[in-house]
Amino acid sequence: MLSRVASLALFVAIVGGWEILARGDQVSALVLPAPSVIWEALWSGLRSGYFWPHLIHTGTELLLGLALGCAAGFLGGITLGESAFLRRLLFPYVLVSQVVPKLALAPLFIVWFGFGMTSTVVITALICFFPLMENTLTGLQQVEPRKLELFRMLGATPLQTLWRLKIPSGLPVIMAGFRVAVVLALVGAVVGEFIGGSKGLGALIIASQGMMDTPLMFAVLLLITVLGLVMYQLAIGLERLLLWPHLKENSKD
């Protein structure tokens, strides 16, 4: 409770100091608008409905890219984790695809998929793919040897061992990768809109920059922050839901 009160007090102090600094004569409102001005721009855009289509558009890109990237990452992690041959064969190529900055690939995706949602979803999926694939691969390889030996003695098939032992045991590591992917998904969606989007929060930031409307830019950044926090909390909720049987079993032990 004390830490929460202290955190709230720190937030109030930061916002109050920002307001005083922005209201002074030494800082231009174009460079640093006051929080009250930003809030007015945010509330006006929400009340008029100006922000909602852009927010829905970015949220849709985020969810589609996250779903595609995480599905590919999870299946890729299982494939590489279950086959040492494929792991040695394919992992170097997967790694090469990830070390190339996605911002550098964005113009190429626009050439391939055109402007709009498709190219942004592809960029987002590519960004989300690696964290979940790497964590899935790591989680499947961290199963206790004695449990693997027990499954072999009981005559379990590789598929039964995978779904009943390896995935449940590696779930904490897998979900950690999912949380990282959720954060990166929003980055991918906004960056994709920077390059080839005509709609969405990223495109709105570019538009506000062109209009020299700094309060609008800060308002959109605040919306992106709130969207990211909401998605991260949903990821934590999903993680707790999936890990609840695992935690319950550990508490009994």
Side-chain angles (χ1 to χ4, degrees):
M1 187 65 180
L2 181 60
S3 61
R4 292 182 179 179
V5 172
S7 178
L8 180 60
L10 179 60
F11 174 76
V12 172
I14 291 174
V15 173
W18 182 357
E19 182 78 26
I20 294 172
L21 179 63
R23 292 291 181 180
D25 298 330
Q26 290 149 2
V27 180
S28 171
L30 183 63
V31 176
L32 188 66
S36 57
V37 178
I38 298 172
W39 172 255
E40 183 180 349
L42 176 62
W43 178 245
S44 176
L46 291 174
R47 184 177 54 186
S48 65
Y50 177 68
F51 286 145
W52 291 112
H54 297 282
L55 185 60
I56 293 173
H57 188 82
T58 300
T60 302
E61 292 172 338
L62 188 156
L63 292 175
L64 289 176
L66 181 66
L68 291 175
C70 287
F74 182 67
L75 294 177
I78 290 177
T79 302
L80 298 185
E82 290 296 285
S83 173
F85 172 75
L86 291 178
R87 184 164 62 250
R88 290 191 296 268
L89 175 67
L90 299 177
F91 190 79
Y93 297 97
V94 174
L95 187 60
V96 168
S97 71
Q98 294 302 311
V99 297
V100 178
K102 305 306 176 292
L103 190 60
L105 294 175
L108 185 60
F109 289 151
I110 291 174
V111 172
W112 289 347
F113 304 106
F115 291 93
M117 181 178 291
T118 303
S119 59
T120 303
V121 169
V122 171
I123 294 173
T124 304
L126 188 59
I127 290 177
C128 296
F129 166 77
F130 189 72
L132 195 59
M133 191 220 72
E134 178 69 20
N135 279 45
T136 301
L137 178 60
T138 302
L140 295 183
Q141 294 176 335
Q142 291 183 346
V143 181
E144 295 182 26
R146 60 183 182 87
K147 291 184 178 180
L148 283 173
E149 186 62 28
L150 176 61
F151 268 65
R152 292 193 190 100
M153 292 174 58
L154 293 175
T157 64
L159 185 60
Q160 289 173 330
T161 304
L162 172 66
W163 287 107
R164 298 186 180 184
L165 175 62
K166 292 184 178 180
I167 291 180
S169 298
L171 198 56
V173 180
I174 295 172
M175 291 308 298
F178 177 71
R179 283 189 277 113
V180 175
V182 167
V183 175
L184 294 179
L186 182 57
V187 175
V190 173
V191 168
E193 290 169 352
F194 281 166
I195 305 298
S198 58
K199 193 176 181 181
L201 299 179
L204 197 55
I205 289 179
I206 299 299
S208 63
Q209 181 186 22
M211 296 184 295
M212 302 296 289
D213 193 342
T214 312
L216 176 60
M217 187 184 302
F218 272 92
V220 177
L221 289 174
L222 186 58
L223 278 177
I224 292 174
T225 302
V226 172
L227 178 60
L229 291 175
V230 169
M231 291 298 300
Y232 190 76
Q233 290 301 318
L234 290 175
I236 291 177
L238 178 61
E239 180 179 11
R240 289 175 178 173
L241 180 64
L242 293 177
L243 292 180
W244 172 249
H246 180 73
L247 296 175
K248 189 176 181 180
E249 181 179 350
N250 287 343
S251 64
K252 289 181 179 179
D253 295 340

